[in-house]
Amino acid sequence: MQKYFRKTAKIGLILVYLVIIAGAVVRMTGSGMGCPDWPKCFGYYIPPTDAETLQWQKNRDFEQGQVIIYNETLKVANGYFTTTDTYNSDNWDEYTKHDYAIFNVSHTWVEYINRLCGALAGLATLILAVFSFSYWKKQKLITILSWLVVFGMGFQAWLGATVVYSVLEPVKITVHMVMALVIVAILLFIIYKTSIDNKIKNIASKKIQLLFIVSLIATLLQVVLGTQVRQYIDHQSDIYGEFAKEQWLNNPTIQFYIHRSFSILVTLLNLYLAFYIYKFKLGFRKIKWVLILLAIEILSGITMYYLDFPFGSQALHLVIASLLFGVQFYLILETIKANQSLKTL
């Protein structure tokens, strides 16, 4: 099983990033409440494609748990029955998690695809955990972390449900995003620890390691600030509408100015890191990917601000930030390995 373990870990990592991308599209399109219940979608494993499915109809068969929108509220079938000529309230329970009762077919399917991506990622990490038993005798940490990822995915699914139940509460959205990055970090650690390439190509020191750690923390803070700014923009889009994007940043909150100003610090820190690495020829070739991703991140931020949020720019901004986090975390792992090698010389 070790033969396929690392490949499975990489597939799991790709699928987790696919979930992040899908989540970014969900937020970009305002589809977070496309499925107002969880884990099903309007009570169905495969969601409806038209509003008629969610309307009460006479002489129609309903199964327990199926949902309709009646008098602008969600009603849940409390058993198996066939409707008569009139609506019978005894057959239906009020949905009590929230009072959101709007059906938008595109929002529903965007959110549903997001959940499918999450299910695929969860399955991949479960397979990874099973394969990890082959490491139990020699590297117990690999097995423990692999199962930790499985529990992390379960916790992430639960967080997703709480986000829906809270009708997209900002703090829960932020925690949901940070948890996704934690899962990314664990998978990257597993991939790195099971690498068969033991050649030392980097030269590290405590200073460079500290700089990498500070850089990673700065990126994480930017992500957290960014989710708060995004929540403000979502609120503005609800007020002014999706066709008045030039109004979305009217009177922005203090978090916006902190997020924008802090990006300068993040940029300068990473530029100094790159300068230090190239000047002393320390290796760490992945620093170029940090600079590339950082440049795209800055460009997408400028584009959103000055060009009124072109389609896809918000999703790109979030996805690039998560990729940047992953590369920076992997660089920290490389510095740890390089420092350990210096100690054994």
Side-chain angles (χ1 to χ4, degrees):
M1 288 191 289
Q2 287 189 13
K3 179 181 178 181
Y4 301 103
F5 179 83
R6 199 162 184 268
K7 290 181 179 178
T8 305
K10 289 181 177 180
I11 292 172
L13 179 64
I14 291 170
L15 289 173
V16 169
Y17 267 114
L18 185 61
V19 174
I20 293 174
I21 293 171
V25 173
V26 166
R27 294 211 67 188
M28 178 185 70
T29 56
S31 303
M33 293 301 293
C35 294
D37 50 336
W38 190 93
K40 294 183 180 180
C41 190
F42 287 103
Y44 294 87
Y45 287 109
I46 299 177
T49 56
D50 58 75
E52 186 178 354
T53 305
L54 298 175
Q55 296 173 356
W56 181 90
Q57 301 170 38
K58 64 180 182 180
N59 302 321
R60 176 182 164 187
D61 294 330
F62 281 94
E63 298 180 4
Q64 186 173 5
Q66 287 183 339
V67 175
I68 62 168
I69 299 176
Y70 189 78
N71 289 337
E72 298 184 348
T73 60
L74 295 179
K75 306 290 186 180
V76 184
N78 56 25
Y80 297 82
F81 57 86
T82 301
T83 56
T84 58
D85 291 338
T86 58
Y87 176 81
N88 184 355
S89 60
D90 292 336
N91 291 328
W92 303 92
D93 294 327
E94 294 278 352
Y95 189 78
T96 58
K97 298 291 186 180
H98 55 72
D99 58 0
Y100 186 92
I102 299 173
F103 174 73
N104 179 306
V105 63
S106 60
H107 289 179
T108 292
W109 277 86
V110 168
E111 169 60 15
Y112 180 67
I113 291 171
N114 176 42
R115 294 186 184 187
L116 283 181
C117 291
L120 284 174
L123 179 60
T125 57
L126 180 59
I127 294 171
L128 179 73
V130 173
F131 285 173
S132 72
F133 283 122
S134 60
Y135 285 91
W136 181 251
K137 290 184 178 179
K138 293 184 178 180
Q139 290 180 282
K140 288 182 173 60
L141 181 61
I142 298 299
T143 305
I144 293 171
L145 289 177
S146 297
W147 281 100
L148 185 60
V149 169
V150 173
F151 290 117
M153 291 296 291
F155 180 65
Q156 183 74 331
W158 176 80
L159 282 175
T162 63
V163 168
V164 172
Y165 296 153
S166 69
V167 194
L168 312 181
E169 186 178 323
V171 173
K172 293 181 179 179
I173 292 174
T174 300
V175 174
H176 194 51
M177 181 62 199
V178 171
M179 186 61 202
L181 296 180
V182 170
I183 292 171
V184 165
I186 297 173
L187 284 170
L188 284 170
F189 182 82
I190 290 171
I191 291 169
Y192 191 80
K193 290 294 288 185
T194 55
S195 174
I196 58 175
D197 183 10
N198 294 317
K199 295 180 181 178
I200 305 301
K201 303 175 182 178
N202 306 310
I203 302 171
S205 64
K206 288 185 178 181
K207 179 180 178 179
I208 195 70
Q209 186 174 341
L210 179 61
L211 285 171
F212 275 128
I213 292 172
V214 172
S215 178
L216 180 71
I217 293 173
T219 296
L220 188 58
L221 287 173
Q222 272 293 77
V223 170
V224 171
L225 287 168
T227 58
Q228 300 303 307
V229 172
R230 181 58 193 270
Q231 185 60 33
Y232 169 77
I233 292 171
D234 290 346
H235 178 67
Q236 292 290 90
S237 67
D238 290 338
I239 295 174
Y240 294 104
E242 61 179 314
F243 298 109
K245 296 180 179 180
E246 70 280 0
Q247 303 291 328
W248 288 1
L249 279 176
N250 279 351
N251 301 315
T253 60
I254 187 64
Q255 286 92 337
F256 168 77
Y257 293 108
I258 295 174
H259 181 65
R260 186 176 66 177
S261 301
F262 197 62
S263 65
I264 299 173
L265 176 62
V266 172
T267 302
L268 292 175
L269 178 60
N270 283 282
L271 285 174
Y272 175 73
L273 252 172
F275 169 77
Y276 189 86
I277 289 169
Y278 289 130
K279 179 180 179 180
F280 296 102
K281 300 179 180 179
L282 303 179
F284 300 107
R285 295 180 180 178
K286 292 180 181 63
I287 191 65
K288 66 180 180 182
W289 287 108
V290 169
L291 298 181
I292 291 171
L293 292 170
L294 195 58
I296 298 172
E297 187 75 348
I298 293 170
L299 183 61
S300 63
I302 292 173
T303 300
M304 285 189 290
Y305 184 74
Y306 289 103
L307 299 181
D308 299 328
F309 302 92
F311 181 80
S313 58
Q314 292 168 294
L316 177 66
H317 198 63
L318 176 60
V319 171
I320 294 299
S322 63
L323 288 171
L324 177 62
F325 173 88
V327 176
Q328 289 176 320
F329 182 79
Y330 203 83
L331 281 166
I332 290 175
L333 295 178
E334 288 187 340
T335 62
I336 293 172
K337 186 173 183 179
N339 277 327
Q340 289 173 344
S341 301
L342 281 174
K343 292 177 181 178
T344 59
L345 293 178

